[in-house]
């Protein structure tokens, strides 16, 4: 009943999904503090009766109830996910964001075991749109060497993002694959045609090494070999 009422108070709260994350995070943190206290009070019950009788321990029961009502109040759940996606996009754009809140709420989704079902698919789809648009735009405005440095930096930052607050076991591989595909695989021909000859002529060894390493990640070495042969 308590968690049901708690979710009711979040319905219609704060139309801004990013600002709403503060309310959701506060509700989650308070729930965890309360359940830790309750578990401590009833520690003997957990150890002497619940576990020996294969019942759900008090902490797990609290997680199940929070998950049940978060999923039941779909507005609360979806607004939270939308806020997380917007915050992650702001982070990608270099804006200052509350990374502790990001980490807390993504950890919440993992603890409730709904990370993959309610968040990951939407996050990867948003990532796909973001890097498809960025790849086309940046390739048009940057030199080949600058674009390669940008792509390398994006791969590094996404790997750090996974380490800092995403679920590494579930998200790392598809996330990095999307970045590689949209920034590199889609533009192998354009990158080589636009700037390869200039890099070789100017003896830009470091940039050529970066080109070799990046294209090697997306199966582009045959095209690189052909471009060098042509040169």
């Amino acid at each position: 009943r308590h968690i049901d009422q708690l979710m009711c108070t979040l319905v219609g709260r704060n139309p801004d999904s990013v600002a709403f994350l503060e309310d959701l995070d506060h509700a989650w943190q308070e729930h965890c503090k309360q359940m830790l206290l309750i578990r401590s009070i009833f520690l003997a019950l957990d150890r002497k009766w619940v576990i020996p009788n294969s019942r759900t321990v008090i902490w797990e029961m609290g997680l199940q109830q929070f998950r049940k009502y978060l999923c039941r109040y779909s507005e609360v759940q979806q607004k939270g996910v939308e806020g997380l996606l917007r915050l992650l996009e702001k982070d990608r754009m270099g804006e200052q964001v509350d990374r502790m809140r990001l980490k807390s709420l993504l950890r919440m989704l993992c603890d409730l075991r709904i990370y993959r079902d309610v968040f990951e698919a939407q996050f990867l789809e948003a990532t796909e749109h973001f890097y498809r648009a960025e790849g086309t735009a940046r390739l048009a405005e940057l030199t080949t060497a600058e674009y390669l440095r940008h792509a390398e930096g994006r791969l590094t930052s996404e790997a750090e993002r996974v380490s800092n607050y995403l679920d590494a076991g579930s998200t790392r591989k598809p996330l990095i694959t999307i970045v590689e595909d949209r920034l590199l695989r889609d533009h192998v021909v354009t990158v080589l045609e636009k700037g390869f000859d200039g890099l070789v002529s100017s003896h830009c060894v470091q940039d050529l090494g970066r080109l070799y390493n990046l294209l090697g990640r997306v199966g582009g070495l045959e095209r690189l070999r052909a471009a060098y042969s042509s040169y």
Side-chain angles (χ1 to χ4, degrees):
R1 287 198 299 269
H2 170 75
I3 297 173
D4 186 13
Q5 292 166 6
L6 174 64
M7 292 299 164
C8 272
T9 65
L10 294 175
V11 174
R13 177 92 65 88
N14 215 324
D16 185 329
S17 60
V18 172
F20 174 75
L21 295 180
E22 182 177 355
D23 298 325
L24 182 58
D25 188 38
H26 178 74
W28 169 244
Q29 296 296 339
E30 285 301 306
H31 170 77
C32 290
K33 290 177 186 176
Q34 293 159 1
M35 290 308 303
L36 283 171
L37 178 58
I38 292 169
R39 184 179 66 174
S40 298
I41 293 169
F42 291 104
L43 191 58
L45 175 68
D46 252 0
R47 288 181 176 176
K48 295 182 179 180
W49 189 82
V50 173
I51 295 175
N53 287 280
S54 300
R55 303 280 183 166
T56 304
V57 296
I58 290 172
W59 174 259
E60 181 62 28
M61 181 271 294
L63 292 179
Q64 289 177 1
Q65 293 300 316
F66 199 93
R67 178 172 63 245
K68 171 184 173 181
Y69 286 101
L70 179 61
C71 293
R72 178 174 294 180
Y73 288 88
S74 57
E75 177 193 322
V76 176
Q77 175 187 291
Q78 190 54 37
K79 190 185 289 186
V81 172
E82 289 172 3
L84 288 170
L85 294 176
R86 283 182 58 197
L87 213 57
L88 285 162
E89 183 170 1
K90 286 175 179 288
D91 190 33
R92 281 177 175 149
M93 298 298 290
E95 297 182 35
Q96 193 73 25
V97 300
D98 189 341
R99 294 189 173 186
M100 290 302 296
R101 178 151 295 134
L102 261 177
K103 185 173 183 177
S104 173
L105 289 172
L106 289 168
R107 185 73 258 164
M108 175 194 79
L109 296 179
C110 290
D111 290 343
L112 297 177
R113 293 191 288 278
I114 57 175
Y115 174 91
R116 297 187 71 173
D117 293 336
V118 309
F119 172 77
E120 187 178 64
Q122 293 189 61
F123 170 67
L124 293 176
E125 183 180 358
T127 300
E128 182 93 23
H129 291 316
F130 180 88
Y131 282 113
R132 179 180 284 112
E134 181 177 89
T136 302
R138 289 303 177 95
L139 192 59
E141 65 189 26
L142 299 177
T143 66
T144 299
E146 290 170 340
Y147 184 80
L148 293 171
R149 288 193 289 271
H150 174 76
E152 186 178 62
R154 282 304 198 188
L155 287 165
T156 299
S157 66
E158 291 297 342
E160 290 173 351
R161 194 164 285 116
V162 171
S163 299
N164 289 336
Y165 38 73
L166 295 167
D167 184 350
S170 174
T171 306
R172 179 184 295 276
K173 186 176 180 179
L175 174 60
I176 297 302
T177 298
I178 287 172
V179 182
E180 289 174 341
D181 287 349
R182 300 293 78 83
L183 293 187
L184 298 171
R185 193 186 305 276
D186 289 354
H187 304 292
V188 170
V189 174
T190 306
V191 166
L192 292 173
E193 289 180 350
K194 181 179 179 180
F196 177 74
D197 287 4
L199 293 178
V200 180
S201 297
S202 303
H203 304 290
C204 300
V205 178
Q206 189 173 6
D207 290 322
L208 286 167
R210 183 177 292 110
L211 175 65
Y212 179 86
N213 291 330
L214 291 175
L215 293 193
R217 298 177 65 147
V218 296
L221 294 185
E222 282 296 331
R223 289 190 178 277
L224 177 60
R225 197 173 290 122
Y228 189 55
S229 176
S230 176
Y231 174 85

